[in-house]
Amino acid sequence: MSDAPSGPRTGDALLDLRIRAATGADSGTVLAFWRTAAEGTSISDDREGVERLVARDPEALLLAELGGELVGTVIAGFDGWRCHLYRLAVHPGHRRRGIASALLAAAQERFVRLGGRRADAMVLTGNETAHRAWRAAGYGPQEQWRRWVKPLTG
């Protein structure tokens, strides 16, 4: 992952797009951004959750910034076995400009660097906008699997 701006794009130029890893100091900004740009909520959507993620894996939460403004996020988690993508979100006013593609490219570069072989993404069943974006990025549903969850708090 590079802290430098991504390369030039045609059309809606993203010459100033910068992809960087989040720090603990970004947690409040990220949480506010997710309330605007992300679909659904998570049990970990609090300052403690974001700070814990960044402390445990400092390169997992990737931020896309344009002119210093947060316009996109993705969590690119690698547990040593599998590569997982969560919270791919782009600000509604900046969608369809290549930001999600740039975030996924940075995430995939990270996974390859760490020895990952395949990435999976958590995508809400009813989020058709996300389905189109993930398909365009080369991902597809794996219908034989179902996510099972159990909250670990009271």
Side-chain angles (χ1 to χ4, degrees), residues 27 32 34 39 43 46 49 54 58 63 65 73 84 103 118 123-124 133 142 144:
S27 61
W34 284 342
E39 181 83 17
I43 195 170
D46 56 30
V54 171
L63 307 181
E65 297 174 326
T73 66
H84 305 286
L103 282 163
R118 177 180 66 185
V123 184
L124 290 171
Q142 194 173 21
Q144 69 270 30

Side-chain angles (χ1 to χ4, degrees), residues 78 80-81 83 108-118:
F78 181 63
W81 183 257
C83 306
Q108 291 164 182
E109 287 171 17
R110 175 176 197 260
F111 291 152
V112 169
R113 190 174 69 248
L114 294 171
R117 297 179 184 179
R118 177 180 66 185

Side-chain angles (χ1 to χ4, degrees), residues 31-102:
L31 289 165
F33 175 78
W34 284 342
R35 284 190 292 275
T36 300
E39 181 83 17
T41 59
S42 166
I43 195 170
S44 301
D45 282 358
D46 56 30
R47 189 174 295 272
E48 259 184 6
V50 174
E51 289 173 356
R52 186 173 30 258
L53 168 66
V54 171
R56 184 189 177 288
D57 188 349
E59 293 184 356
L61 177 52
L62 302 177
L63 307 181
E65 297 174 326
L66 267 176
E69 174 191 359
L70 180 59
V71 295
T73 66
V74 69
I75 297 173
F78 181 63
D79 60 16
W81 183 257
R82 298 220 168 114
C83 306
H84 305 286
L85 295 161
Y86 312 90
R87 288 297 184 170
L88 176 63
V90 174
H91 188 280
H94 293 280
R95 290 183 180 156
R96 303 200 49 82
R97 296 172 61 189
I99 295 168
S101 295

